[in-house]
């Protein structure tokens, strides 16, 4: 049973392919322009999360819109919709849904989405060494280490409050950076600023959780 | 016709939709609840359901019940239960349990199949149609082996199992049929043997599971056993003999405990009498309060999974629209109170909590057959999947509560120079270290070109399909060497392991972190030692002897620190050594660049 839906076109896929079902030439999207059969996902140029979810490529997103798109697409692409279809449609539906679920997971988490942009503009960080302590946190870090080794808990609670407020400040800074990133013509420096911010926040989080664990134990 | 079947620990049900309305098939006694009880009589005669249950007392040695508890599990997984049930067991291997009845023995799958066959023929008799396909439900926390065993039982009964659906999700679909579910729905499902909690977001016909959690060894059966244990203490005080010492007497007492539990869910106090355990009839007044004290520790076990599920879903209790009660055990007032306390609202059970799962299975059957097009279920994997990395640490690849189908990949590298194969060890669970998680499968990626450690790029891809079956593929990206495996385990995680691992992951988060850091520091130290030794071979001549001495000393110090259990000691030695070797490394790098420009190999330098 084919869903009666508008053809979803992937913006980057301007090339034409022949539909496996009606054999006519069609844009390489999700469904054939002519017979609406589900097409295979392009293996050589996999669509980006934003393309799959048909959203503008911005760091700040409307979560309601994202979810609405995800639900609409799930209804069209889920293998359950193709349970009674002859092959290869169920297989193609499975591939699209797998990619759709992955894309949704990436975009709905602020951290994963930010990471996606960082990797897009600065490459994967596989070769990157463990990031050094951000300079402004170094002093706090060593003071905490000293207090911990002395087993001096009282002042640690002060640091905990301090780190918590730093973290919430950092989280609101993200919003500013995101606005700047989305507006930037030159994405590279904006992406670098994002990466520095994410590294610092990661460090803050691990300092805080480290501190909490020690204080609790 | 595709039917929906709830194959339960105590009772099973079969349902379908008639013109969009749920219809449950009723058994001989007029009830839709078919006891999951099978009796093996003389002459290969088999009795299933209410008849088998009502003659339990007289045919105890020929009766098998609670078979679901043993589905897809090994002997070692169910030791606790073996003590409590009056069956004889045999096990040829650790992986397969058999119930012994007289001369013969039966697997839990065969017993399940007999129950399914009974349900199938019930529906066939009443509709006059053949029933060949079914959607069968399982607890959300069932692992692969348990799901596969359930599927196999279906096949043994002559059914094509078109989908295995999670029980709480099915229940939510049943509420969705009448558009009674909307918003953020918490489904609290406490059955005879298992507990699941799932939180779904329901909107525009999409049922998205946000998070799921549970305890696969928690259910009404446990209440019954706790009550029986306390009753037997009362009897011991009166008569001086303890019925729980005798397996048959205990089994009978458990049946009476179950009845007592039901009665005290309606009334606040009851006179309980029995003449089974002594010559003179015994009589006790039991209050609901008393019974609640007996079962409270068990009921409380459901709390933490609910709180964790809320955290995973990213919701506060106030953001839950409705809490739905599923499973017969939610009739116990103490259980309802717990649900009310956790989700801060009166739980709803407008649909019969015993029937709602089977109806939901029928709904999913109609979605798959194309008869319902306005509803769609998006389910998740309950446990994190990953692979073993250096030092016995787990590299998590797909996190729990990811919507399926899904795929994900991570890139890893080698640890030893010239390594030509890597072992891929697939794991399931939430803990940081390999030894604390469940091993699902192992395979090898062979034929790697011998390269220095850290150079190969090995991409490991996990692919999970709509049925939750895992495929793993490993590729060395530089040479495109590939190996893959379909994880279709003969037995996966046992329920008690799933539950224990989850519990442990919260209990041991602290220790895990320390262990993980320590291992990472050691691995880092070892590779630094190796790298330093290697560069010393070439770089010795480039530095003066005092610096060389310092480096050698730092190297020895670091080597000695490998036995430390404090990671900070190791870390400080690492820092010292890497600081000292920095100038040498720079000199070596310059040299290598110059040599490369001159077309010389490093080995050829004088």
């Amino acid at each position: 049973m084919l869903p009666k839906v508008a053809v979803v076109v992937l913006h980057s896929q301007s090339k034409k392919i022949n539909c496996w079902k009606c054999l006519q030439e069609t844009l390489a999207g999700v469904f054939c322009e002519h017979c609406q059969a589900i097409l295979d996902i392009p293996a050589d140029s996999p669509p980006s999360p934003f393309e799959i979810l048909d959203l503008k490529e911005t760091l700040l997103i409307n979560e309601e819109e994202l979810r609405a798109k995800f639900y609409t697409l799930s209804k069209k692409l889920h293998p359950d919709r193709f349970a009674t279809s002859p092959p290869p449609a169920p297989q193609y539906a499975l591939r699209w849904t797998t990619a759709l679920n992955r894309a949704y997971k990436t975009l709905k988490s602020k951290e994963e989405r930010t990471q996606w942009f960082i990797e897009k503009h600065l490459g994967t960080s596989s070769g990157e060494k463990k990031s050094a302590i951000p300079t402004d946190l170094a002093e706090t870090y060593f003071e905490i280490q000293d207090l911990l080794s002395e087993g001096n808990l009282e002042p640690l609670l002060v640091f905990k409050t301090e780190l918590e407020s730093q973290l919430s400040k950092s989280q609101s800074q993200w919003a500013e950076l995101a606005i700047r990133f989305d507006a930037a013509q030159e994405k590279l420096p904006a992406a670098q600023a994002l990466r520095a911010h994410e590294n610092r926040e990661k460090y803050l989080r691990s300092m805080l959780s480290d501190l909490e664990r020690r204080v609790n134990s | 016709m595709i039917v929906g079947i709830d194959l339960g620990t105590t009772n099973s049900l079969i349902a379908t939709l008639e013109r969009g309305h749920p219809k449950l098939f009723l058994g001989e006694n007029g009830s839709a609840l078919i006891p999951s009880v099978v009796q093996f009589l003389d002459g290969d005669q088999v009795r299933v359901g209410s008849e088998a249950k009502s003659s339990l007392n007289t045919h105890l040695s020929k009766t098998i019940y609670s078979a679901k508890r043993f589905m897809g599990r090994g002997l070692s997984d169910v030791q606790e239960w073996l003590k409590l049930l009056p069956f004889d067991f045999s096990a040829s291997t650790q992986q397969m349990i058999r119930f012994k009845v007289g001369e013969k023995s039966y697997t839990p799958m065969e017993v399940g199949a007999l129950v399914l066959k009974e349900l199938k023929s019930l529906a066939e008799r009443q509709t006059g149609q053949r029933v060949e396909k079914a959607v069968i439900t399982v607890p959300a926390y069932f692992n692969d082996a348990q799901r596969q065993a359930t599927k196999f039982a279906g096949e043994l009964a002559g059914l094509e199992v078109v989908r295995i659906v999670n029980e709480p999700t099915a229940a939510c679909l049943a509420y969705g049929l009448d558009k009674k579910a909307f918003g953020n729905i918490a489904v609290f499902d406490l059955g005879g043997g298992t507990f699941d909690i799932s939180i779904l977001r329901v909107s525009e016909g999409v049922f998205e599971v946000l998070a799921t959690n549970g305890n696969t060894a928690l259910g009404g059966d446990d209440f019954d056993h706790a009550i029986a244990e306390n009753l037997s203490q009362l009897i011991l005080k009166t008569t001086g003999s303890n019925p729980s010492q005798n397996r048959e007497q205990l089994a009978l007492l458990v049946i009476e405990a179950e009845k007592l539990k039901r009665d005290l869910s309606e009334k606040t106090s009851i006179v309980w009498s029995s003449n089974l355990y002594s010559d003179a009839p015994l009589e006790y007044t039991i209050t609901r309060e008393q019974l609640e004290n007996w079962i409270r520790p068990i009921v409380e076990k459901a709390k933490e999974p609910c709180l964790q599920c809320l955290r995973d879903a990213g919701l506060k209790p106030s953001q839950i629209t409705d809490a739905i009660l599923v499973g017969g055990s939610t009739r116990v007032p103490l259980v309802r109170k717990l649900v009310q306390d956790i989700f801060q609202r009166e739980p709803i059970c407008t649909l019969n909590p015993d029937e709602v799962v089977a109806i939901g299975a029928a709904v999913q059957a109609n979605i798959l057959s194309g008869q319902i097009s306005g509803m769609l279920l998006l389910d998740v994997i309950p446990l994190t999947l990953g692979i073993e990395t250096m030092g016995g640490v787990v590299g998590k690849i797909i996190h729990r509560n990811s919507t399926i189908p899904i795929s994900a990949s991570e890139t890893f590298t080698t640890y030893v120079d010239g390594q030509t194969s890597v072992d891929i060890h697939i794991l399931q669970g939430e803990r940081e270290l390999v030894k604390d998680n469940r091993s699902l499968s192992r395979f090898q990626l062979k034929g790697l070109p011998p390269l220095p450690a850290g150079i190969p790029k090995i991409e490991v891809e996990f692919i999970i399909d709509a049925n939750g079956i895992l495929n793993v593929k490993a590729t060395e990206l530089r040479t495109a060497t590939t190996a893959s495996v379909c994880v279709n385990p003969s037995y996966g995680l046992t329920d008690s392991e799933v539950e224990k691992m989850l519990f442990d992951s919260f209990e041991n988060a602290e220790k895990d972190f320390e262990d993980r850091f320590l291992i990472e520091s050691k691995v880092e130290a070892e590779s630094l030692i190796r790298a330093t030794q290697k560069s010393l071979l070439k770089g010795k001549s480039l530095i003066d002897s005092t610096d060389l001495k310092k480096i050698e000393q730092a190297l020895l110090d670091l080597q000695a620190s490998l036995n430390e259990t404090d990671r900070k000691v190791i870390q400080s030695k690492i820092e010292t050594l890497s600081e000292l070797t920095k100038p040498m490394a720079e000199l070596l790098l310059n040299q290598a660049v110059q040599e490369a420009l001159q077309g010389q190999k490093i080995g050829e330098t004088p």
Side-chain angles (χ1 to χ4, degrees):
Chain A
M1 195 188 61
L2 284 173
K4 298 277 177 290
V5 291
V7 177
V8 179
V9 179
L10 300 169
H11 301 297
S12 73
Q13 314 286 329
S14 52
K15 68 172 186 186
K16 296 262 187 172
I17 57 158
N18 287 324
C19 168
W20 59 272
K21 197 172 180 207
C22 70
L23 306 175
Q24 293 186 70
E25 202 178 56
T26 175
L27 268 175
V30 182
F31 297 105
C32 168
E33 293 168 274
H34 312 290
C35 70
Q36 301 209 344
I38 189 164
L39 303 171
D40 198 2
I41 192 162
D44 46 347
S45 52
S48 79
F50 287 99
E51 278 181 296
I52 291 181
L53 281 148
D54 186 30
L55 287 169
K56 262 199 354 214
E57 204 179 290
T58 54
L59 185 49
L60 284 171
I61 57 163
N62 178 337
E63 282 177 33
E64 286 300 317
E65 188 190 4
L66 171 67
R67 188 182 308 132
K69 295 252 183 188
F70 173 62
Y71 284 5
T72 310
L73 282 163
S74 289
K75 282 190 200 171
K76 291 176 187 170
L77 300 174
H78 198 278
D80 282 7
R81 287 274 171 273
F82 295 86
T84 56
S85 306
Q91 190 58 32
Y92 294 165
L94 176 65
R95 286 187 197 152
W96 274 111
T97 304
T98 303
L100 174 64
N101 287 339
R102 179 89 248 152
Y104 180 55
K105 193 171 184 296
T106 303
L107 297 195
K108 85 176 159 183
S109 140
K110 193 185 87 176
E111 284 76 22
E112 283 190 47
R113 199 166 68 238
T114 311
Q115 193 56 35
W116 184 84
F117 275 103
I118 291 171
E119 283 180 16
K120 181 185 169 170
H121 294 286
L122 305 174
T124 50
S125 54
S126 60
E128 198 185 316
K129 277 271 160 202
K130 250 188 237 165
S131 51
I133 307 172
T135 41
D136 67 313
L137 293 177
E139 197 183 333
T140 321
Y141 178 81
F142 288 116
E143 274 181 65
I144 290 175
Q145 290 304 322
D146 283 349
L147 289 169
L148 279 173
S149 58
E150 288 164 19
N152 197 347
L153 291 183
E154 204 59 28
L156 280 174
L157 295 173
V158 181
F159 277 111
K160 188 168 167 268
T161 324
E162 161 72 13
L163 286 176
E164 276 162 352
S165 88
Q166 288 253 24
L167 188 60
S168 77
K169 218 183 282 167
S170 170
Q171 279 158 345
S172 52
Q173 273 166 357
W174 178 89
E176 286 168 33
L177 279 172
I179 293 170
R180 239 178 282 158
F181 179 86
D182 286 339
Q185 291 293 319
E186 198 54 58
K187 294 289 188 202
L188 205 66
Q192 277 161 345
L194 271 178
R195 181 164 70 186
H197 175 269
E198 291 299 291
N199 282 343
R200 183 173 182 276
E201 192 166 303
K202 233 179 268 170
Y203 220 93
L204 265 176
R205 270 183 217 285
S206 79
M207 276 169 76
L208 192 60
S209 66
D210 202 33
L211 187 63
E212 276 167 356
R213 277 204 318 280
R214 301 293 193 85
V215 171
N216 289 338
S217 67
Chain B
M1 175 173 60
I2 311 181
V3 292
I5 293 176
D6 173 5
L7 181 61
T9 309
T10 11
N11 294 301
S12 297
L13 299 91
I14 181 165
T16 185
L17 297 189
E18 257 182 13
R19 287 179 298 277
H21 296 289
K23 175 187 160 70
L24 288 144
F25 295 100
L26 305 183
E28 308 291 339
N29 64 350
S31 162
L33 270 66
I34 315 298
S36 307
V37 181
V38 177
Q39 241 161 36
F40 298 92
L41 306 172
D42 299 335
D44 284 339
Q45 225 194 312
V46 176
R47 204 148 58 183
V48 182
S50 52
E51 227 189 311
K53 191 184 179 185
S54 57
S55 52
L56 191 70
N57 290 6
T58 49
H59 291 77
L60 204 54
S61 64
K62 292 173 178 163
T63 311
I64 303 296
Y65 54 90
S66 292
K68 187 178 180 178
R69 292 239 181 196
F70 304 92
M71 204 72 104
R73 312 183 67 187
L75 195 56
S76 55
D77 307 324
V78 288
Q79 287 301 338
E80 284 302 300
W81 276 93
L82 298 185
K83 280 182 248 159
L84 295 173
L85 293 174
F87 314 146
D88 284 324
F89 293 90
S90 67
S92 49
T93 62
Q94 274 299 304
Q95 282 122 23
M96 181 69 78
I97 278 178
R98 299 185 78 91
F99 303 109
K100 265 163 77 177
V101 183
E103 295 293 294
K104 297 193 173 159
S105 70
Y106 304 88
T107 63
M109 271 111 72
E110 288 168 303
V111 177
L114 288 168
V115 175
L116 289 170
K117 247 185 207 162
E118 175 73 16
L119 298 171
K120 179 176 182 267
S121 67
L122 205 65
E124 286 177 339
R125 279 202 302 273
Q126 290 175 32
T127 60
Q129 286 182 52
R130 290 291 298 275
V131 174
E132 283 160 338
K133 294 182 178 185
V135 170
I136 303 181
T137 60
V138 295
Y141 250 54
F142 251 25
N143 63 55
D144 286 309
Q146 292 168 304
R147 281 164 202 267
Q148 307 246 355
T150 305
K151 215 174 160 186
F152 187 56
E155 282 159 23
L156 287 176
L159 289 165
E160 184 194 336
V161 183
V162 290
R163 180 63 59 84
I164 295 284
V165 183
N166 296 326
E167 286 160 10
T169 328
C172 195
L173 283 177
Y175 274 89
L177 192 61
D178 300 341
K179 311 226 163 19
K180 275 179 191 153
F182 196 84
N184 297 320
I185 310 290
V187 184
F188 185 98
D189 179 0
L190 188 62
T194 55
F195 166 61
D196 282 329
I197 172 75
S198 289
I199 296 175
L200 295 92
R201 182 187 283 120
V202 183
S203 154
E204 293 163 55
V206 176
F207 293 70
E208 182 194 5
V209 180
L210 297 178
T212 193
N213 212 300
N215 182 333
T216 41
L218 175 64
D221 285 4
D222 299 281
F223 298 168
D224 302 345
H225 280 99
I227 296 165
E229 189 51 50
N230 281 282
L231 288 177
S232 98
Q233 289 303 319
L234 290 179
I235 295 168
L236 175 65
K237 259 184 218 155
T238 323
T239 67
S241 71
N242 187 349
S244 69
Q245 297 299 319
N246 175 314
R247 280 215 300 182
E248 297 222 344
Q249 282 203 348
L250 177 64
L252 296 178
L253 195 57
V254 169
I255 296 167
E256 299 211 30
E258 199 255 334
K259 199 174 165 299
L260 183 66
K261 174 185 74 180
R262 281 170 187 271
D263 291 344
L264 283 176
S265 292
E266 308 285 327
K267 298 172 191 152
T268 50
S269 125
I270 200 167
V271 177
W272 180 73
S273 63
S274 177
N275 52 8
L276 285 171
Y277 312 99
S278 69
D279 301 332
L282 300 168
E283 215 176 80
Y284 304 95
T285 300
I286 317 254
T287 64
R288 183 188 283 175
E289 200 188 339
Q290 216 173 341
L291 182 123
E292 289 184 343
N293 286 332
W294 295 344
I295 63 172
R296 183 166 284 113
I298 304 166
V299 174
E300 287 284 324
K301 281 191 193 172
K303 193 174 177 182
E304 184 48 40
C306 290
L307 298 179
Q308 185 60 38
C309 195
L310 276 166
R311 282 194 290 270
D312 286 347
L315 295 172
K316 295 189 212 54
S318 59
Q319 290 171 290
I320 296 293
T321 320
D322 271 314
I324 294 175
L325 295 177
V326 181
S329 303
T330 57
R331 291 209 172 82
V332 175
L334 189 65
V335 173
R336 294 193 174 205
K337 194 175 167 297
L338 179 89
V339 179
Q340 180 150 15
D341 287 349
I342 294 170
F343 297 103
Q344 297 165 18
R345 70 203 57 244
E346 180 100 27
I348 58 168
C349 50
T350 45
L351 297 179
N352 184 324
D354 288 317
E355 298 174 351
V356 64
V357 169
I359 294 170
V363 172
Q364 180 64 21
N366 278 258
I367 291 173
L368 289 171
S369 69
Q371 261 137 323
I372 295 180
S373 58
M375 289 169 78
L376 178 68
L377 169 60
L378 304 174
D379 221 328
V380 299
I381 53 161
L383 288 163
T384 299
L385 293 159
I387 69 166
E388 175 167 358
T389 65
M390 208 54 221
V393 174
V394 179
K396 294 178 178 179
I397 295 187
I398 300 185
H399 285 262
R400 73 167 187 274
N401 295 326
S402 294
T403 308
I404 55 171
I406 198 162
S407 69
S409 59
E410 280 291 336
T411 312
F412 300 91
T413 189
T414 52
Y415 179 64
V416 181
D417 284 346
Q419 199 172 332
T420 56
S421 74
V422 282
D423 275 324
I424 311 284
H425 184 193
I426 305 157
L427 299 149
Q428 188 171 31
E430 309 308 317
R431 300 282 300 277
E432 298 288 337
L433 300 187
V434 170
K435 64 181 172 66
D436 302 319
N437 290 288
R438 175 71 192 204
S439 167
L440 286 184
S441 181
R442 278 172 193 275
F443 72 106
Q444 229 182 16
L445 177 63
K446 285 183 199 156
L448 301 179
L451 291 168
I455 298 297
K457 281 174 118 177
I458 296 151
E459 186 188 71
V460 177
E461 189 181 22
F462 277 37
I463 308 151
I464 300 171
D465 68 14
N467 284 307
I469 306 285
L470 171 66
N471 274 276
V472 180
K473 195 168 116 188
T475 311
E476 201 290 298
L477 295 174
R478 288 174 203 275
T479 55
T481 315
T482 291
S484 64
V485 67
C486 173
V487 182
N488 205 348
S490 54
Y491 72 107
L493 278 172
T494 66
D495 344 359
S496 55
E497 276 174 321
V498 174
E499 167 222 336
K500 190 178 168 300
M501 281 191 299
L502 258 185
F503 177 74
D504 288 353
S505 79
F506 304 125
E507 282 290 288
N508 299 316
E510 153 94 22
K511 197 179 156 296
D512 273 11
F513 262 89
E514 287 305 318
D515 286 353
R516 188 183 185 126
F517 280 140
L518 181 62
I519 288 170
E520 281 176 353
S521 297
K522 282 187 181 171
V523 170
E524 196 184 337
E526 281 167 9
S527 66
L528 180 63
I529 289 170
R530 222 175 318 217
T532 309
Q533 285 167 336
K534 219 159 125 187
S535 44
L536 272 180
L537 289 178
K538 302 168 220 148
K540 241 181 202 169
S541 55
L542 301 173
I543 50 176
D544 67 49
S545 59
T546 26
D547 285 345
L548 181 62
K549 278 229 173 68
K550 276 188 201 158
I551 291 176
E552 281 170 344
Q553 188 53 49
L555 192 61
L556 288 174
D557 285 351
L558 182 57
Q559 263 163 339
S561 78
L562 286 178
N563 298 324
E564 286 286 340
T565 50
D566 184 355
R567 68 181 166 95
K568 274 182 289 177
V569 176
I570 304 176
Q571 211 55 47
S572 76
K573 308 269 186 241
I574 288 175
E575 270 153 40
T576 314
L577 182 60
S578 33
E579 205 52 50
L580 284 170
T581 52
K582 230 182 230 165
M584 179 172 74
E586 272 165 27
L587 286 170
L588 275 171
L589 187 69
N590 285 339
Q591 196 188 38
V593 169
Q594 277 169 10
E595 279 159 3
L597 290 174
Q598 291 160 12
Q600 244 183 334
K601 282 187 192 156
I602 291 176
E604 287 167 4
T605 41

